[in-house]
Amino acid sequence: MNQRPFLSLSRRQVVRGLLASTAFGVARLAAGCSSSGDTADDAAKDAASTGGDDLVVGFIYVGPKDDYGYNQSHAIGAAAMAKIPGIKIVEEANVPETNAVQETMRSMIELDGAKILFPTSFGYFDPHILQLAEEFPEVQFFHCGSVYDEKVHPSNVGSYFGYIDEAQYIAGIVAGETTKTDKLGFIAAKPIPQVLRNINSFTLGARSVNPKATVQVIFTGDWSLPVKESEATNSMADQSIDVVTCHVDSPKVIMETAEKRGIYCSGYHTDQAPLAPKGYLTGAEWDWSSVYTQYAKDLLGGKTLMDGGIPHLLRGGFSDRFCTLSAYGPAVSEKVQADANAVKEKLIANEMAIYQGEIKDNTGKVQIPSDKKYDQKAIELEQMDWLVDGVDGKVAG
Amino acid sequence: MMQMQSWRKTLEFICIPLGAILAALFAFGIFCAFAGGNPFGVYYSIYRAAFGSWSAFQNTLIRASPLMLSALCTILPARLGLVIIGNEGAIVLGGLGAVAVGLAIQGGAPIIVQLGMALGGMAVGGLWIALVGILRHYRAVNETISSLLMNYIAIALLNQLVEGPMRDPSSLNKPSSYPIADVNMLGNLPGMRVHYGLLFGIIACILAYILIQRTTFGFAARMAGGNLRAAKIAGLPVGKLTIAICFLGGACAGLAGMVEVAAVHGRANISLNSNYGYGGVLVAFVARQNPLAAILVSIMLGGILASAGILQRSHGLPDATALVFQGLVFLSILYSDSLYGRFDFFKERAIATSEV
Amino acid sequence: MAEALGWLGVPLGIIAGTLRGSAPFLFVSLGECLTEKSGKINLGLEGTLLMGAMSAYGISYLTGSPWLGVLSAGVAGLLFGFIHGFLSQQPRVNDVAVGIAMIIFGSGLAFFLGKPFIQPSAPQLPTLDLGAWSQSPPVQAALQISPLFLIGVAIAPVMQWFFRSTRWGLLIRAVGDSPDAARAMGVSIYKVRLLSIMAGSFLSGIGGASLSLYYPGSWSERISSGQGLMAVALVIFAKWRPMQCLYASLLFGGAQAIGPALQSVGIDSYYYLFNASPYILTLLIMIITCSPKRTLTGVPGALGRTNESRL
């Protein structure tokens, strides 16, 4: 046994590993030898990406760009931004919420010359964006969904988010008036504030026109679980729920299952009408195109987060074109449309608040007393941890 | 003659993996050409993004470091002939254990807290995989399948805990545990943006190599792995060996989880589940269960992962292209293992003549 | 509108979920059963499942014929099976490792080629409405059964008979149990295994078609959520018996419905653990049924051994 010289067993493997990690160098050599034109090409590409007067904007998505949902809504917005002269977009999809996203941001800054970054997933914020923002104070980071706090966050970080619950409120009105069984369903990923707010607004909207309406919530546990989501839709249909909506990353399968079961559905993130031509009532959609176009105009106009030209905390609902409503489907009667539109106009004119006391949660506890009202900007609403009366479901896992 | 022998053998060891990688690159180039990319541009970009500069290489190292520790979770039990793929579960729970300990003793001196977190992570990860070993030894439960199942269970546990009992109510839209204080975080290696996980990974791989090759424990494990019945007859405590080596493997993966928590995320949440586990299994097999080779293979995989972004950004290829590339490289290298001794050129002529 | 089912909805939901969701498990586990009987393990069926789902959806969309989609899913499975069968039988190459590499390669290829098919809706497979007798829409919906599922159910006993009573079945078992004896009989182990792996992979491809063309009936990159890997575990749960694969698949399909069905009647704690229940259950049953004192009946003797040489 002792005859075996040190490393003899593993020399092959070590050498192999060594080669593995340097072989790319050889590949590069091959590239260099076989076509010098390519390297020139590449250099030209470099120049194009870093040089010129174009403002380079990086977009990062946590999943695939075309998911009929969250990531797609941002990609549509990015595509709208890319059309503006003077803006160049670089994009990367399927970037996990680990230090991989830090490296992606760094690479966009260092290799592509990005001066503006839109890392769109919530989980990118802390710690990843915060760390990079400190390291690159001249680069501006715009993040979707976080709450900017000037006391702790660097000045080159901005946060934006839409009050899409306004659209969910209107969708709730449509659902509440259209339902025949007075039972609505909401399929949600996780009981987090953004999701709970959508559930509550949807429920409040439905119950504002139909006090008998109840909303059953099913949490699937993760952002994209097609089989579970489909199963949830089916079990809701079995419980004679006749309108379902959702807050998951990719609502495609929910809309399709609802259509198959012959019940109504209400979309989320993007327009899903083609998936359910009969049963699609309406949907709460993001309007990132308008938000990103506005950002682009500000940035091209020389405004920055650091000099205060661009607000650190940007929020908006219908009136600021952060969200829109899908076109009403064939099942929505003209009366319902008129009712919904009337409330929508009131929200746009800021004549009413969704969260106007008294509001009780579904355990009977008063969450908003009768003399109080939260307008959409209230930070309390972004920390919601309760479900409103009329919801069947529980927050704690 | 000995000189001759090693010269040809060495050449074989160089040429075969090199050829495998070149073949994978060639196949990938054709794939890119079909997808509308310029293969040579793609090659150059991959090189540039993974190894082209010190900064790019650090990107590679950052991605490589969790893979080294994760790979050991497969490599060590492989000495006993066990095929364990429960790395993901051990990483996730190791991270959870590290946070639990870190929060419990957060008042202590940073070095104590860090040590506590490391031990906590290693203990939990180790016990998780030791359980696989216990089931294997006492109930003859297939270790590959049980460890696969335990991955799912571990992830469910993580979710249940960080959204329930361990949840920090201020972690609004991404349920997480309470954070580790900044002073208790592991920093980066001096002069680099790579965290200490890289150092831990390299040290652990070297220690594992020594353990396997140079100690009686490693010798006993190898013997038991070679022939279980003979080992039992020789009076080796096979059960204890199984459990101990599974524990050590799991402890390495648990340490990887601790590093993710203490050097990257600062808290435990679902981001701990990010496929370092299965990456580690592949690294282990491509390195042919050799801990030293695992260091280099991890760096190679790190490089592939680091170059994934540039394929999308500079070449307009979809995000799945990087997966195709990874798949091709691994299939090609795994295949290349079967080629040793197949080429006449590398055969030992001296031996051949002496045999005749 | 029908009455709400309330608590009755839970068993109905689970039964319906079983009938809807078990087809992918069934096909993949039967495929894996065939593969493992020949002495090799194929973890790559997760990638095959995705590839099958993608190609079925894509071809169904492009040609308008879902059955052509099913066929192409099978063909995609055959090709993947060939790669796995070839690679995993090379000397010194480990089948588990090849399987994991095939998961990466297969899912990468499926995602890459599947990009254009995420947006459009493809024609779905027709269903057999066995619930037409009932007045209750939930029952009607529950009994809308996919012909693929019935085909799968039919394959299970056929495969059982195949292993027990046919020459070819015996051959595969011989190759899986004692390759040396088989070799002495003049059987080409390589060919038998290659064909078994390819046939198994073909079945998994069909399982993918069931995902994208029946239930949940759409193509997205998360469509399988690990069902392919799960089905591999299921084979061991079923002790390599095709009929038990059928029962186990029904159990696992039903288990997917437990979490949502319980929440729909108001039980909404611990849904992560409910969702993990199939895994916990499998592990428990493995612990109970395995024993070091006797070898597991049905376990192919050559499973997990390395390739010494290719003869």
Side-chain angles (χ1 to χ4, degrees), chain A residues 1 4 6-7 9-21 23-28 30-31 34-35 38-39 41-42 45-46 64-65 90-94 96-100 102-104 106-108 110-112 122-123 126-128 131 135 145 147 190-195 221-223 382-383 397, chain B residues 6 9-10 13-15 17-18 21-22 25 38 40-41 43-49 51 55 58-59 62-63 79 159-160 163 167 172-175 193 195 209 213-214 219 222 260 264-265 267 270-271 274 276 286-288 290 292-293 296-297 299-300 304 308-310 312-315 319 325 333 336-337 340:
Chain A
M1 265 300 159
R4 172 175 291 163
F6 186 64
L7 275 183
L9 179 81
S10 62
R11 180 176 54 200
R12 175 165 103 209
Q13 293 121 29
V14 173
V15 172
R16 182 193 4 214
L18 197 63
L19 280 167
S21 48
F24 293 115
V26 180
R28 177 221 186 190
S34 52
S35 68
D38 280 311
T39 21
D41 223 30
D42 223 61
K45 209 178 279 166
D46 280 1
K65 267 193 292 184
V90 287
E91 291 178 294
E92 198 171 320
N94 257 335
E97 294 171 351
T98 61
N99 47 10
Q102 296 186 22
E103 292 306 312
T104 293
R106 181 186 305 277
S107 169
M108 282 180 166
E110 289 178 349
L111 293 182
D112 302 326
F122 182 84
D126 184 10
H128 310 298
Q131 278 182 15
E135 195 179 332
V147 182
K190 286 170 183 269
I192 59 168
Q194 283 172 9
V195 173
D222 217 333
W223 292 103
E382 297 197 23
Q383 293 161 353
Chain B
S6 36
K9 274 281 176 221
T10 311
F13 299 141
I14 294 172
C15 288
L18 182 66
I21 289 171
L22 284 179
L25 279 169
N38 172 354
F40 296 105
Y43 295 153
Y44 176 60
S45 294
I46 290 174
Y47 165 76
R48 198 172 63 130
F51 305 102
S55 175
Q58 290 188 71
N59 182 355
I62 285 174
R63 293 167 198 261
R79 287 295 134 182
N159 269 314
Q160 199 71 57
E163 292 191 19
R167 180 169 183 182
L172 293 177
N173 287 313
K174 186 170 186 183
R193 60 172 202 272
H195 56 62
Y209 182 83
Q213 299 294 342
R214 307 260 113 186
F219 176 71
R222 273 188 292 156
E260 281 303 296
V264 181
H265 299 292
R267 45 178 85 211
I270 192 59
S271 295
S274 47
Y276 294 136
V286 170
R288 288 191 63 90
N290 181 300
L292 294 183
L296 298 170
V297 177
I299 293 173
M300 179 193 74
I304 296 177
I310 204 144
Q312 293 183 49
R313 300 203 309 272
S314 298
H315 298 276
D319 52 287
F325 182 41
I333 298 182
S336 76
D337 255 333
Y340 289 94

Side-chain angles (χ1 to χ4, degrees), chain B residues 320 323, chain C residues 46-47 50-51 80 102-112:
Chain B
L323 280 179
Chain C
E46 173 77 20
L50 281 164
M51 194 65 193
F80 271 39
M102 283 300 286
I103 295 178
I104 294 178
F105 180 67
S107 54
L109 206 57
F111 296 166
F112 186 96

Side-chain angles (χ1 to χ4, degrees), chain A residues 149-281:
Chain A
D149 181 350
E150 58 180 3
K151 289 194 281 290
V152 287
H153 296 150
S155 71
N156 55 333
V157 172
S159 140
Y160 61 95
F161 201 59
Y163 301 127
I164 200 170
D165 66 310
E166 292 184 1
Q168 283 289 18
Y169 185 80
I170 306 297
I173 292 177
V174 173
E177 288 199 38
T178 310
T179 176
K180 299 191 183 76
T181 60
D182 298 332
K183 293 171 92 179
L184 316 174
F186 200 115
I187 297 163
K190 286 170 183 269
I192 59 168
Q194 283 172 9
V195 173
L196 299 177
R197 183 171 180 177
N198 278 332
I199 298 172
N200 288 343
S201 295
F202 182 80
T203 310
L204 288 169
R207 285 167 71 92
S208 73
V209 293
N210 179 356
K212 281 184 296 177
T214 56
V215 176
Q216 170 73 56
V217 176
I218 291 183
F219 292 108
T220 58
D222 217 333
W223 292 103
S224 188
L225 291 172
V227 175
K228 283 258 142 53
E229 289 157 14
S230 184
E231 209 44 71
T233 315
N234 273 307
S235 48
M236 284 181 168
D238 290 345
Q239 297 294 336
S240 75
I241 284 167
D242 66 348
V243 185
V244 290
T245 186
C246 62
H247 187 161
V248 296
D249 266 1
S250 176
K252 186 182 183 195
V253 79
I254 295 176
M255 302 299 140
E256 286 174 333
T257 309
E259 184 80 354
K260 271 186 224 159
R261 291 297 301 261
I263 61 175
Y264 301 123
C265 55
S266 181
Y268 191 63
H269 290 313
T270 58
D271 183 16
Q272 282 118 17
L275 298 174
K278 277 189 251 149
Y280 195 73
L281 297 179

Side-chain angles (χ1 to χ4, degrees), chain B residues 65 72 113 122 142 190 245 259 263 267:
Chain B
S65 27
L72 288 177
V113 179
M122 289 167 78
N142 179 298
I245 210 153
V259 170
R267 45 178 85 211

Side-chain angles (χ1 to χ4, degrees), chain B residues 16 19 108 161 172 191 234 292 307 316:
Chain B
I16 285 181
L161 287 172
L172 293 177
L292 294 183
S307 65

Side-chain angles (χ1 to χ4, degrees), chain A residues 12 62-69 71-72 93-94 180-181 183 188-191 216-242 249-250 252-253 256-257 260-263 270 274-276 392-397, chain C residues 1-10 12-13 16-18 20-21 57 92 111 115-121 124 137-139 141-142 144 211 213-225 227 253 255-261 263-266 268-272 275:
Chain A
R12 175 165 103 209
V62 72
K65 267 193 292 184
D66 32 12
D67 59 355
Y68 241 114
N71 296 300
Q72 186 170 331
N94 257 335
K180 299 191 183 76
T181 60
K183 293 171 92 179
K190 286 170 183 269
Q216 170 73 56
V217 176
I218 291 183
F219 292 108
T220 58
D222 217 333
W223 292 103
S224 188
L225 291 172
V227 175
K228 283 258 142 53
E229 289 157 14
S230 184
E231 209 44 71
T233 315
N234 273 307
S235 48
M236 284 181 168
D238 290 345
Q239 297 294 336
S240 75
I241 284 167
D242 66 348
D249 266 1
S250 176
K252 186 182 183 195
V253 79
E256 286 174 333
T257 309
K260 271 186 224 159
R261 291 297 301 261
I263 61 175
T270 58
L275 298 174
D392 287 337
K394 218 163 62 180
V395 175
Chain C
M1 271 293 165
E3 287 289 293
L5 288 169
W7 269 95
L8 271 180
V10 176
L12 182 77
T18 306
R20 280 190 293 258
Y57 199 78
R92 291 182 295 271
F111 296 166
K115 291 280 176 203
F117 303 119
I118 295 176
Q119 302 297 328
S121 286
Q124 297 284 302
V139 175
Q144 277 191 343
L211 275 178
L213 294 180
Y214 168 62
Y215 185 78
S218 92
W219 161 245
S220 77
E221 299 188 0
R222 302 282 155 80
I223 195 77
S224 95
S225 6
Q227 291 186 52
Q256 291 189 106
I258 291 176
Q263 278 194 56
S264 76
V265 295
D268 32 23
S269 299
Y270 303 108
Y271 41 83
Y272 289 113
N275 289 349

Side-chain angles (χ1 to χ4, degrees), chain B residues 43-322:
Chain B
Y43 295 153
Y44 176 60
S45 294
I46 290 174
Y47 165 76
R48 198 172 63 130
F51 305 102
S53 65
W54 174 228
S55 175
F57 190 57
Q58 290 188 71
N59 182 355
T60 297
L61 290 179
I62 285 174
R63 293 167 198 261
S65 27
L67 295 172
M68 296 176 192
L69 288 169
S70 167
L72 288 177
C73 185
T74 304
I75 289 176
L76 288 172
R79 287 295 134 182
L80 274 172
L82 303 178
V83 179
I84 284 186
I85 56 179
N87 317 21
E88 196 80 37
I91 291 175
V92 160
L93 291 184
L96 209 55
V99 164
V101 174
L103 292 175
I105 59 169
Q106 58 186 335
I111 184 73
I112 300 294
V113 179
Q114 286 162 0
L115 205 64
M117 286 194 288
L119 290 176
M122 289 167 78
V124 175
L127 289 174
W128 191 249
I129 301 298
L131 185 59
V132 175
I134 290 171
L135 291 178
R136 167 81 229 185
H137 184 71
Y138 292 102
R139 303 291 316 166
V141 174
N142 179 298
E143 75 284 356
T144 311
I145 303 300
S146 67
S147 59
L148 172 68
L149 293 169
M150 284 169 69
N151 282 341
Y152 293 98
I153 298 171
I155 293 164
L157 268 175
L158 169 78
N159 269 314
Q160 199 71 57
L161 287 172
V162 296
E163 292 191 19
M166 288 179 74
R167 180 169 183 182
D168 171 6
S170 73
S171 66
L172 293 177
N173 287 313
K174 186 170 186 183
S176 308
S177 70
Y178 284 95
I180 305 290
D182 277 347
V183 288
N184 294 333
M185 293 283 286
L186 287 176
N188 287 344
L189 292 166
M192 297 168 87
R193 60 172 202 272
V194 185
H195 56 62
Y196 273 93
L198 179 67
L199 192 66
F200 294 172
I202 292 174
I203 292 175
C205 284
I206 294 172
L207 287 180
Y209 182 83
I210 295 171
L211 178 78
I212 293 168
Q213 299 294 342
R214 307 260 113 186
T215 64
T216 27
F217 177 82
F219 176 71
R222 273 188 292 156
M223 191 180 158
N227 189 338
L228 203 62
R229 191 161 297 165
K232 274 183 182 158
I233 291 166
L236 284 176
V238 176
K240 278 185 194 152
L241 266 175
T242 307
I243 294 163
I245 210 153
C246 285
F247 179 87
L248 287 177
C252 290
L255 185 62
M258 175 269 181
V259 170
E260 281 303 296
V261 162
V264 181
H265 299 292
R267 45 178 85 211
N269 56 36
I270 192 59
S271 295
L272 281 176
N273 169 24
S274 47
N275 277 334
Y276 294 136
Y278 293 107
V281 177
L282 261 183
V283 167
F285 278 104
V286 170
R288 288 191 63 90
Q289 315 292 5
N290 181 300
L292 294 183
I295 299 178
L296 298 170
V297 177
S298 297
I299 293 173
M300 179 193 74
L301 179 53
I304 296 177
L305 294 172
S307 65
I310 204 144
L311 298 177
Q312 293 183 49
R313 300 203 309 272
S314 298
H315 298 276
L317 295 165
D319 52 287
T321 318

